[in-house]
Amino acid sequence: MSPYELELDGVKIEIGKVEEFEPEPEGPHPEPELVELMKWDRKLFSRYRIASFPICDMCCMCTYGRCNLAEGRKGACGIDVRTNTARMTTLKTCIGAACHSAHARHLVEYVEEKMGDADIDLGPEVDVKTPIFTTLIGVEPETVSDLKRGLAYIERELTKIVSSVHMGQEMDAHDFESKALHAGMLDTLALEIADVAQISAFDMPKGEAPLVEFGPFAADPDKPCILLIGHNVAPGTEVLDVLEERGLDEKVEVLGICCTAWDISRVDDRSKVIGPISRQLDYVRMGIADVIILDEQCIRADVVEEATEVGSRVIATRELVTCGLPDVTDLPTEKIVEKMANGEWMAVFIEDLEKAAEVAVEVALRVHEDRKEEKGVLKSPDEIIEEASRCLECGDCERACPNDLPIAEAMVKAAEGDLDPLADLHERCVGCAKCESECPAKIPVYRLIADAWKHRLKNEKYRVRTGRGPVKDTEIRKVGGPIVMGDIPGVVAFVACPNYPDDIKDVARMAEELLERNYIVLTSGCTAMALGFYEDEDGKTLYEKYPDEFDAGGLVNTGSCVSNAHILGACIKIAAIFARKDLKGNFKEIADYILNRIGACGVLWGTMSQKALAISTGFTRWGIPIVYGPSGLKYQTLYIGDLEGDWTVYDARTGEKFREYCPIHLKYAAEDWREALVQAVKLCIRPNDTPQGRQIKLQNYIELYEKFYNELPPDLPLYVRDKNDIPITVRDRVMEYLEEVGWKPRKGPDVPTILEELVEGE
Amino acid sequence: MARPWDPTHVYTSAAEVVGPSIVRMIVSRASDPLLIVGPRAVEDENWREALVSLLERYKLDAVCVAPYKGDEFGRKMGVVEVATLLQRGEPVLGKHPDVVLYSGSRPDVTDRVMQGLRHFRMDLIKVVLNPEYCPSADYSFPNMKMDEFISNLNSI
């Protein structure tokens, strides 16, 4: 370099000339490929072994089959059931990751098309803007367009993983799971790209968020209403723009279901979140929407049929979800409006989002008056009784019900005039409507449940905090130390879908218990909505009761599914800000830091989709353990600690070896919410805990275990290093137990790592 | 073939439907039977008492996979933890059970646990004692009403 030149990150300055160039990726593993991180995965699998719960005996992926793999058999290609199960996990994880990356690519290209480009801006208190991107790609993006480099990396790697699922490729179960972990990690990058792009472009909240109205009755039935369903906010922003341009923003209701709900409320807090995916069918059937706009992901496959039934018009907008509808994108707006308003076309596909928004607003205005009678129509109590009296009591509805709800018994009571048992089912119902599909008497069972509930609660409205996006660097500076030392006992994230095994409020009960115990509780997606259904005796939701702070006892809603990136991002930022780790291209060191020092755990109590599988699998590769509800067993593979495995943890300063059995599992499924809560607390224990930190964590573990199980946790010897780890209030009892089971004190590492290469001098 | 409680639980082979007398024979002949007790069983007084009685009658080892304050069912574990130990062929309570009796978990959880053992522990005899037929076990009670189920449990 000549004395007249200066090179900075992405900029080269010469006297008389400024030249921009693409910065070179930095770090030990920029854009890591499968094999580069396989060693990390094998480290994980040397202690967390796969437990398989195959759903299907058969493989039907090629025409050699169907092959029966049951009970030790092999398929025509030589594959066994454990490997095939891991193969399916890999494929499903890829599907989830592909969903988020396609979503992210659309948002980035949409921003480029609409605005040319946009600077990445997460507010004045966020300097570490893209912790996942920087760690994986090895550069810090400046603009939304720069994010495309990450998308290209995701797409390249995902293609490789999907190809490994072809017959005659990968043949080892753990190496398949390694590929699932890779796909999951790619998914976390896609999440970040999508959310950073939309926060920057649409000026969404940047670390602070308002309370918004929530619930099925949040909408004003006297106004024309547009309902957005899905996950991609772009069509919704166009609707808001049209309403603003036409001065109609106070005159038309904009509602959302599922993650689009969170995201549109992040763009404009007058938009209303009406509910999670589990209420989708119910809200469509309520007929409150004059127009329904579909974007992508988690949309019911019968939405057009159901919407048409109640006179709602439907506009599909994304090439991924064309619903078999006529493509009217190239027709004049007036013609589309006319035909939709007069009912000739009840549903259409319009790919041009501006046009879709114009049509939606105009149609909503035109049909609203005529549809007033159809909105919110419930079956009357007499009609419910009449329908219920047709029940054959065959029980087929119960057998189809994912939660085995006592539907037949409730129908008998309803036929006798008592609608309460039917209404009671609603809180425990996941809204799948398989009961209706199964009913031989063609009774609209789900509808009866929903309507009975609505007769009881006519004006259900709640206050929830909409998604705030990133955790601020200032917050990380404050809590980084206490989290790493264990003084804040853990960061627990309640995320994903509402496929709950019982009462929708169980997830809130878990969250509140942790908040009272000074955990930091994070949430996102449909689960963040479930928290809003829970009110205390004063009628306050958790969002009104606990501060929106990333601090002990704080409850932070990051936003939609893609905002899960900020939950992982907060953990990475602790490594970057508190521990001053260089993020660039440094996945292994950062994941090792999280695994050993940051007491974080994800709870997916109602997990359902392939996207939720991808998110959770990605988190585990970054060192964050996951607790699923019982439906997690249907993902078919879990990563359960094997005490005979390699639990070696090195002290990075001395190279001394220790055995630290924490976190004990990486992917776990609990049958009962109390079990999930106890596991989440246990999985926040880390090798790095100071004695004081370990005391706090064990205090919570012991108290909760005793509360639900009435005895000391039997696995305490794994977590007590010496008596200073034991909370003083239970020390005598615990020591008595430990001595009884032959426990011996041991030392723990000061600077824990499972990577030999991070030991100084290695 | 008996109809599974959940009509989607269809496999290439299905558990033999048994009554209490066959279960009695299986338990009597087992060297190290293990009873796994799930949440539904501990929350229903009649079910719980029937299992306590079974436990005492045959001096069974047991693990309780439910949050439960009582101590009748011995060691408490997560269902996934005990299922994993069994899948791996590792000892549970210091023994290698040859028969597993599983009672009291949700039908879907029961099916998942049994499917794992069906594929990876063919040597283990798997018996489901629930009021719902579970095809992925080796032996299962049929679908039946609660009264009949409790009566069957008590008749083992």
Side-chain angles (χ1 to χ4, degrees):
Chain A
M1 187 182 292
S2 84
Y4 307 108
E5 287 181 10
L6 174 63
E7 265 192 39
L8 301 169
D9 202 15
V11 181
K12 182 171 152 189
I13 301 170
E14 291 176 38
I15 299 300
K17 185 180 174 191
V18 177
E19 180 191 334
E20 282 189 49
F21 62 94
E22 183 139 307
E24 283 298 309
E26 295 173 33
H29 298 286
E31 302 189 7
E33 297 191 14
L34 270 168
V35 171
E36 284 179 88
L37 298 184
M38 198 166 72
K39 265 190 183 174
W40 169 253
D41 299 336
R42 287 184 173 179
K43 272 269 177 202
L44 296 178
F45 289 136
S46 68
R47 48 160 76 169
Y48 307 108
R49 304 292 295 173
I50 299 173
S52 305
F53 303 91
I55 284 271
C56 188
D57 292 356
M58 307 271 211
C59 176
C60 39
M61 288 281 276
C62 80
T63 62
Y64 270 155
R66 295 174 290 180
C67 291
N68 180 6
L69 308 182
E71 300 171 61
R73 295 176 181 85
K74 287 181 179 177
C77 68
I79 204 165
D80 62 24
V81 75
R82 192 184 291 282
T83 309
N84 202 49
T85 302
R87 182 186 183 201
M88 290 301 117
T89 305
T90 305
L91 186 58
K92 282 188 265 186
T93 311
C94 285
I95 293 169
C99 245
H100 287 136
S101 57
H103 176 184
R105 180 165 282 287
H106 178 259
L107 280 174
V108 167
E109 291 178 352
Y110 174 73
V111 170
E112 280 184 324
E113 190 188 318
K114 289 286 285 185
M115 306 173 186
D117 200 353
D119 287 337
I120 291 174
D121 174 14
L122 302 188
E125 292 179 77
V126 179
D127 282 334
V128 184
K129 297 170 190 166
T130 54
I132 301 172
F133 190 101
T134 307
T135 307
L136 292 178
I137 304 302
V139 294
E140 285 178 24
E142 298 291 329
T143 68
V144 170
S145 290
D146 291 346
L147 296 169
K148 286 162 88 176
R149 184 174 191 154
L151 290 170
Y153 164 66
I154 295 170
E155 288 154 0
R156 190 173 70 232
E157 290 299 299
L158 265 186
T159 305
K160 284 195 283 188
I161 304 169
V162 173
S163 92
S164 78
V165 174
H166 191 275
M167 71 79 57
Q169 299 264 55
E170 187 53 79
M171 57 192 73
D172 179 83
H174 282 92
D175 285 350
F176 256 132
E177 291 291 338
S178 170
K179 290 170 174 62
L181 289 174
H182 199 59
M185 182 196 74
L186 298 171
D187 183 72
T188 60
L189 176 58
L191 302 177
E192 186 179 75
I193 291 172
D195 212 37
V196 164
Q198 64 182 5
I199 291 171
S200 302
F202 307 131
D203 196 26
M204 289 179 173
K206 300 173 170 83
E208 286 168 14
L211 289 164
V212 294
E213 276 192 359
F214 165 62
F217 301 103
D220 180 348
D222 293 329
K223 291 181 181 175
C225 172
I226 298 172
L227 172 63
L228 309 163
I229 303 180
H231 286 70
N232 189 324
V233 75
T237 63
E238 295 284 0
V239 169
L240 294 177
D241 285 349
V242 171
L243 292 175
E244 195 180 337
E245 278 162 24
R246 296 179 58 179
L248 293 168
D249 35 6
E250 298 289 345
K251 293 180 181 152
V252 176
E253 287 279 56
V254 178
L255 315 173
I257 287 177
C258 216
C259 283
T260 287
W262 281 132
D263 285 342
I264 200 67
S265 73
R266 293 164 78 191
V267 177
D268 182 342
D269 61 15
R270 283 170 302 182
S271 311
K272 287 167 183 165
V273 178
I274 62 167
I277 184 181
S278 55
R279 303 283 165 94
Q280 185 176 151
L281 179 60
D282 184 21
Y283 296 168
V284 169
R285 285 178 172 179
M286 280 170 75
I288 46 177
D290 295 303
V291 175
I292 296 174
I293 295 184
L294 308 177
D295 52 80
E296 58 180 285
Q297 305 163 39
C298 302
I299 302 165
R300 280 188 67 97
D302 54 1
V303 68
V304 175
E305 176 191 333
E306 292 286 348
T308 305
E309 193 73 21
V310 292
S312 299
R313 277 42 167 193
V314 179
I315 303 174
T317 57
R318 295 279 293 119
E319 61 184 339
L320 305 168
V321 193
T322 51
C323 316
L325 298 172
D327 181 357
V328 299
T329 307
D330 296 330
L331 296 182
T333 303
E334 299 73 25
K335 183 177 178 184
I336 306 170
V337 169
E338 188 56 39
K339 287 192 177 283
M340 291 195 83
N342 69 23
E344 194 177 332
W345 293 343
M346 292 300 286
V348 296
F349 170 67
I350 306 175
E351 195 176 19
D352 176 339
L353 299 185
E354 282 180 33
K355 183 179 280 186
E358 283 167 19
V359 171
V361 170
E362 195 55 41
V363 171
L365 292 169
R366 298 260 300 262
V367 304
H368 167 66
E369 284 300 324
D370 290 343
R371 288 195 65 257
K372 268 188 171 173
E373 298 300 310
E374 295 177 77
K375 290 189 179 189
V377 176
L378 306 182
K379 283 195 180 292
S380 69
D382 283 347
E383 286 172 318
I384 296 174
I385 291 165
E386 193 184 326
E387 290 276 17
S389 65
R390 295 198 292 114
C391 176
L392 306 171
E393 297 178 51
C394 64
D396 283 359
C397 48
E398 294 185 5
R399 298 159 83 121
C401 176
N403 281 342
D404 305 306
L405 296 180
I407 303 169
E409 192 184 316
M411 293 290 274
V412 170
K413 292 276 183 195
E416 292 166 0
D418 178 4
L419 302 189
D420 277 342
L422 213 48
D424 289 342
L425 298 178
H426 194 257
E427 300 284 289
R428 301 167 61 197
C429 171
V430 299
C432 67
K434 286 202 282 185
C435 45
E436 285 186 7
S437 192
E438 202 73 27
C439 179
K442 305 292 174 207
I443 298 170
V445 182
Y446 174 63
R447 170 123 204 209
L448 301 190
I449 293 170
D451 286 1
W453 175 75
K454 274 177 247 156
H455 279 299
R456 194 159 69 185
L457 284 170
K458 281 205 167 143
N459 284 305
E460 190 193 31
K461 279 186 197 174
Y462 306 93
R463 301 273 286 168
V464 295
R465 191 173 303 285
T466 189
R468 54 113 91 177
V471 172
K472 294 180 279 190
D473 295 7
T474 42
E475 292 172 304
I476 297 288
R477 278 188 197 100
K478 188 174 167 198
V479 300
I483 290 172
V484 168
M485 301 304 169
D487 297 339
I488 290 178
V491 180
V492 180
F494 291 92
V495 303
C497 332
N499 184 21
Y500 303 116
D502 198 0
D503 196 317
I504 195 166
K505 291 169 182 161
D506 283 348
V507 72
R509 292 185 185 111
M510 286 190 260
E512 184 159 37
E513 182 75 50
L514 294 172
L515 287 162
E516 288 297 316
R517 290 174 178 275
N518 274 334
Y519 285 75
I520 300 174
V521 175
L522 297 163
T523 187
S524 67
C526 286
T527 295
M529 295 183 201
L531 294 185
F533 283 120
Y534 177 78
E535 288 177 324
D536 68 6
E537 289 161 353
D538 301 325
K540 283 188 174 175
T541 64
L542 297 184
Y543 295 107
E544 294 169 286
K545 203 168 166 184
Y546 296 94
D548 173 28
E549 290 169 3
F550 188 77
D551 201 348
L555 172 62
V556 171
N557 175 15
T558 58
S560 60
C561 282
V562 292
S563 313
N564 279 309
H566 307 297
I567 295 172
L568 170 59
C571 297
I572 300 172
K573 282 163 71 156
I574 291 172
I577 295 169
F578 170 71
R580 297 177 183 278
K581 297 278 179 197
D582 189 0
L583 298 184
K584 285 183 182 164
N586 200 13
F587 172 82
K588 277 206 286 185
E589 187 174 355
I590 300 304
D592 178 70
Y593 188 89
I594 295 173
L595 180 72
N596 287 294
R597 304 196 212 189
I598 300 178
C601 175
V603 180
L604 288 80
W605 187 236
T607 195
M608 179 275 288
S609 68
Q610 297 91 36
K611 292 190 302 152
L613 174 63
I615 294 167
S616 53
T617 304
F619 271 47
T620 59
R621 200 191 215 189
W622 286 93
I624 299 175
I626 293 295
V627 179
Y628 295 123
S631 52
L633 282 162
K634 293 177 195 166
Y635 284 148
Q636 306 182 67
T637 51
L638 299 173
Y639 308 151
I640 303 298
D642 180 357
L643 292 180
E644 303 301 316
D646 181 4
W647 293 86
T648 305
V649 177
Y650 301 93
D651 189 309
R653 283 202 194 113
T654 63
E656 198 178 346
K657 289 182 186 177
F658 303 87
R659 281 172 82 79
E660 285 280 352
Y661 298 93
C662 53
I664 187 71
H665 306 305
L666 210 48
K667 254 192 198 180
Y668 185 86
E671 186 176 358
D672 182 286
W673 69 272
R674 292 160 294 185
E675 182 191 355
L677 180 59
V678 168
Q679 281 291 338
V681 164
K682 180 165 80 174
L683 293 179
C684 287
I685 297 173
R686 289 294 181 281
N688 196 63
D689 299 337
T690 60
Q692 189 188 344
R694 186 63 63 90
Q695 271 193 34
I696 294 169
K697 292 184 182 187
L698 286 179
Q699 177 101 34
N700 287 305
Y701 180 39
I702 292 168
E703 280 178 8
L704 284 169
Y705 199 91
E706 289 195 312
K707 180 175 173 180
F708 298 134
Y709 296 86
N710 202 30
E711 61 187 36
L712 286 172
D715 54 0
L716 276 177
L718 298 178
Y719 307 116
V720 178
R721 295 164 299 195
D722 68 36
K723 68 177 183 185
N724 293 322
D725 285 344
I726 307 169
I728 191 82
T729 51
V730 290
R731 192 169 288 172
D732 291 348
R733 279 199 297 131
V734 170
M735 281 306 293
E736 193 181 326
Y737 167 69
L738 292 175
E739 280 162 17
E740 205 178 290
V741 296
W743 166 86
K744 298 271 184 263
R746 62 180 194 274
K747 280 176 65 185
D750 287 335
V751 188
T753 173
I754 63 168
L755 296 172
E756 274 178 284
E757 62 261 36
L758 293 185
V759 174
E760 285 175 22
E762 283 290 317
Chain B
M1 191 186 281
R3 191 179 173 204
W5 172 255
D6 181 332
T8 66
H9 291 173
V10 179
Y11 304 114
T12 52
S13 62
E16 191 176 319
V17 175
V18 291
S21 58
I22 300 286
V23 177
R24 193 182 313 135
M25 198 163 67
I26 293 169
V27 179
S28 310
R29 291 179 182 183
S31 306
D32 287 306
L34 175 72
L35 175 66
I36 302 174
V37 182
R40 293 196 299 162
V42 299
E43 280 160 20
D44 182 302
E45 194 179 339
N46 292 330
W47 194 336
R48 187 177 67 238
E49 283 176 3
L51 290 183
V52 170
S53 161
L54 183 70
L55 194 77
E56 288 168 353
R57 208 155 53 244
Y58 293 97
K59 297 185 171 36
L60 300 173
D61 286 327
V63 292
C64 179
V65 295
Y68 178 51
K69 293 187 176 177
D71 58 5
E72 305 96 306
F73 299 117
R75 172 75 185 254
K76 289 158 188 167
M77 306 175 85
V79 68
V80 162
E81 289 171 327
V82 70
T84 305
L85 287 176
L86 290 167
Q87 270 196 25
R88 291 175 183 159
E90 289 175 13
V92 179
L93 307 176
K95 292 180 184 169
H96 289 277
D98 57 344
V99 171
V100 165
L101 306 156
Y102 187 13
S103 184
S105 278
R106 294 161 51 106
D108 58 345
V109 171
T110 307
D111 172 68
R112 303 284 70 243
V113 170
M114 286 294 121
Q115 265 291 86
L117 298 179
R118 174 169 167 253
H119 289 297
F120 306 118
R121 286 298 307 278
M122 278 94 75
D123 58 316
L124 192 64
I125 295 170
K126 299 161 280 285
V127 184
V128 166
L129 305 177
N130 278 351
E132 305 89 8
Y133 173 65
C134 175
S136 45
D138 295 317
Y139 303 95
S140 170
F141 278 170
N143 297 318
M144 58 185 127
K145 301 273 186 203
M146 201 60 181
D147 292 352
E148 193 188 349
F149 165 66
I150 297 295
S151 161
N152 268 8
L153 268 188
N154 283 319
S155 304
I156 294 172

